[in-house]
Amino acid sequence: MPKAAKKQQEPSGPFGDMFPYRETFEIYRELPKKSRPPEDVMRELRSIAREENSHWQTGQISGTYYHGGMEHYAYLNRVFALFSHVNLLQRDMCPSGTKFEGEIIAMTARMLGAALAREKDPQADVCGAITSGGTESIILPMLAYREKAKAERAITAPEMVVPETIHPAFSKGAHFFGIKLIRVPVGADYLADVDAMRRAIGPNTIAIAGSAANYPHGLIDPIEKLSDLALEAGVGLHVDSCFGGFILPWIAKLGYDVPPFDFRLPGVTSMSCDTHKWGYGLKGASVVLYRNRALRRRMYFAMTDWQGGLYASPTVAGSRSEGISASTWAAMVTLGEEGYLKATRRIMKAAETIKSGVAKIPELKIIGKPTYCIAITSDKVDIFHVNDFLVERGWRVNGLQRPAGFHLCVTLPQTLPGVATRFVRDIAAGVEYARNPPATPARSGAVYGGGASSLDPSMVNELMLAWLDASTEVP
Ligand SMILES: Cc1ncc(COP(=O)(O)O)c(C=O)c1O
């Protein structure tokens, strides 16, 4: 029930106000005694959604909202509504789930070189599963590699070797599954240092991994060399394409130089590829792919002696809504190659405007040679002061560390007229501000998912945990 309307103004997000609605709406600490009319609830929800959409719809953000078209979302939500109540775990009642998921997997595998892999290697039989997101598509292959190594090589202290720029999901998977993650420093070019990774491989190594592209700098690791290394060492290679799998193939098709990073390379044994990013599907879906069925089997779970009957599920979740898979399928077949290419062309045009504009500012340095996600650092000014200025101008970029910087990931909202040129103009003004900033130290920092905080490094871990607590509690 709306309280006296007071506009939510406090910054929300990491270390900002976690509960800006305290003044605006009723806080529920227990179930309301009386039912509320749906229209009343909808009014409240519409008001919240309108408020929160209004920021990203300016395009002055980085990544996160990949499509941004409200008509597209409305269409996917209509599809979602048809199947939202259906439980994919009970497949006998919804064979459509197998159609949607099987076809999403087949289309994604084909996009990532499955057919070409088969031509070169008759053993290649790329298969997969639908997961809840990139993290699950990463941790499940880690489990599969662990189980395979235990069964076939009696490895009880498993290790994985990865470049340090790899996504934290690998550290999470290592934590969950008792795997030692060896994070190898990247080279001066910010890419996986293949020789250093070779030196880190030992008798307990179960797999190695690389990114195409990585989150911090949007760079593609030398996957071809990692593929050779995996074959040489006799271990698996996971390519994390959560952030690139649904856009790099189209960038390549448009004629840009994209090195091979998928199943065309013989050492690639698994991949993660998110439909909820540049697949333009709703949040909550990703594809995990394996080079062959035997490896996929290693992530499955089945139980035969439970009183509740026979139980088997391929991924982490038990019950899942079919709405997510149906709407993801709908996004893919509605866009088709034509739609993905059209969107990618717009993204690359905006990215080129930003890259060439930033390259003209002598105080700034673009990290590596990115495509659509542009990481910026500086050894001339405090880059977080530049970010402070961008925040003042309404931008919300993603902070980076080691080296300090931030990235702007170009998605469709940044292709709106004037957004890319506004970014170049504002960052140039931000550099002017950073040369002689009134505030010291900078308020900005490198919080994942947030752009504005000042942190004492020794307290960061505790603050992060407290933030997780706060994100589940009412004040
Ligand atoms: C390279 C990379 N891998 C994995 C992930 C994790 O994906 P999710 O947040 O869907 O779990 C991300 C997310 O941005 C990513 O950029």
Side-chain angles (χ1 to χ4, degrees):
M1 208 149 307
K3 289 185 172 177
K6 179 188 165 239
K7 228 169 171 301
Q8 151 229 351
Q9 281 319 340
E10 291 294 313
S12 62
F15 316 118
D17 183 1
M18 296 293 286
F19 209 96
Y21 301 108
R22 65 168 68 74
E23 303 290 340
T24 334
F25 297 108
E26 194 76 43
I27 296 175
Y28 292 101
R29 293 188 175 79
E30 58 182 334
L31 280 168
K33 292 278 180 278
K34 289 210 175 296
S35 308
R36 267 182 76 179
E39 204 28 60
D40 182 34
V41 176
M42 279 303 287
R43 233 188 330 271
E44 179 169 336
L45 295 176
R46 274 200 209 97
S47 149
I48 292 173
R50 209 176 304 119
E51 171 78 26
E52 295 186 357
N53 284 339
S54 66
H55 186 193
W56 68 260
Q57 283 174 334
T58 62
Q60 294 199 195
I61 48 131
S62 165
T64 312
Y65 301 87
Y66 287 80
H67 191 286
M70 294 313 279
E71 276 180 25
H72 174 74
Y73 293 145
Y75 165 58
L76 298 191
N77 288 330
R78 284 200 303 279
V79 177
F80 182 86
L82 293 174
F83 297 94
S84 57
H85 52 286
V86 179
N87 185 356
L88 281 173
L89 197 57
Q90 316 276 354
R91 226 24 107 78
D92 57 317
M93 291 197 277
C94 56
S96 54
T98 305
K99 171 179 167 58
F100 299 142
E101 298 214 330
E103 292 177 10
I104 294 168
I105 294 162
M107 289 187 279
T108 309
R110 181 78 177 206
M111 183 179 71
L112 295 176
L116 293 169
R118 188 67 171 267
E119 273 172 28
K120 287 196 232 162
D121 169 14
Q123 305 293 319
D125 182 15
V126 177
C127 57
I130 304 297
T131 69
S132 60
T135 298
E136 192 179 343
S137 290
I138 286 167
I139 67 172
L140 284 172
M142 294 178 79
L143 173 68
Y145 290 122
R146 187 192 77 174
E147 293 303 287
K148 178 177 161 66
K150 189 159 78 181
E152 296 176 7
R153 294 163 58 201
I155 288 179
T156 53
E159 296 177 2
M160 252 183 99
V161 177
V162 299
E164 64 180 351
T165 45
I166 207 119
H167 193 271
F170 286 84
S171 297
K172 197 183 214 179
H175 174 63
F176 284 177
F177 299 134
I179 297 167
K180 181 175 170 196
L181 196 70
I182 300 173
R183 294 174 63 223
V184 178
V186 291
D189 54 3
Y190 295 95
L191 300 177
D193 181 338
V194 179
D195 289 330
M197 286 178 68
R198 177 181 285 105
R199 289 192 295 275
I201 290 175
N204 286 327
T205 304
I206 58 170
I208 61 175
S211 309
N214 69 35
Y215 171 85
H217 312 132
L219 301 179
I220 305 171
D221 284 322
I223 305 295
E224 201 159 1
K225 287 191 181 146
L226 289 176
S227 165
D228 292 344
L229 176 59
L231 293 173
E232 174 192 316
V235 298
L237 167 60
H238 182 87
V239 177
D240 177 18
S241 278
C242 285
F243 200 46
F246 258 95
I247 191 166
L248 290 174
W250 314 119
I251 295 177
K253 214 157 190 166
L254 289 175
Y256 293 89
D257 187 22
V258 176
F261 64 95
D262 57 23
F263 288 107
R264 285 170 291 170
L265 301 171
V268 175
T269 46
S270 59
M271 294 188 75
S272 39
C273 178
D274 290 358
T275 51
H276 68 192
K277 293 191 172 77
W278 279 281
Y280 305 123
L282 293 178
K283 288 286 181 224
S286 167
V287 181
V288 57
L289 294 171
Y290 293 92
R291 192 173 193 82
N292 60 57
R293 285 155 190 272
L295 186 57
R296 180 175 62 174
R297 275 282 172 96
R298 301 281 183 189
M299 76 169 183
Y300 285 170
F301 179 80
M303 192 170 167
T304 54
D305 66 350
W306 180 44
Q307 287 79 353
L310 303 177
Y311 184 96
S313 78
T315 55
V316 172
S319 298
R320 290 185 294 131
S321 167
E322 188 175 337
I324 289 293
S325 290
S327 57
T328 300
W329 178 89
M332 290 172 73
V333 300
T334 304
L335 282 152
E337 281 203 27
E338 188 188 359
Y340 285 111
L341 280 167
K342 210 161 128 193
T344 305
R345 202 173 283 119
R346 284 171 54 193
I347 287 170
M348 290 306 286
K349 188 163 169 250
E352 295 302 331
T353 301
I354 292 169
K355 279 185 276 187
S356 60
V358 170
K360 289 191 194 114
I361 304 171
E363 288 85 354
L364 300 180
K365 207 160 74 183
I366 293 178
I367 295 181
K369 290 198 182 71
T371 45
Y372 48 84
C373 174
I374 303 142
I376 300 164
T377 184
S378 177
D379 45 24
K380 306 247 173 16
V381 291
D382 182 337
I383 196 72
F384 292 144
H385 276 133
V386 180
N387 192 15
D388 282 355
F389 184 87
L390 288 175
V391 170
E392 287 297 317
R393 290 270 170 109
W395 289 93
R396 194 262 197 198
V397 294
N398 299 107
L400 305 173
Q401 54 183 338
R402 304 170 53 228
F406 52 79
H407 79 212
L408 182 86
C409 173
V410 182
T411 57
L412 286 174
Q414 289 77 48
T415 68
L416 292 172
V419 173
T421 46
R422 196 178 318 139
F423 181 75
V424 173
R425 194 191 59 213
D426 286 347
I427 201 172
V431 167
E432 287 305 315
Y433 166 87
R435 279 200 211 166
N436 205 357
T440 299
R443 295 186 308 280
S444 300
V447 186
Y448 181 92
S453 287
S454 90
L455 302 168
D456 172 352
S458 66
M459 291 170 67
V460 171
N461 199 56
E462 187 47 41
L463 278 171
M464 296 296 281
L465 300 181
W467 172 59
L468 293 181
D469 286 343
S471 67
T472 62
E473 285 156 15
V474 293

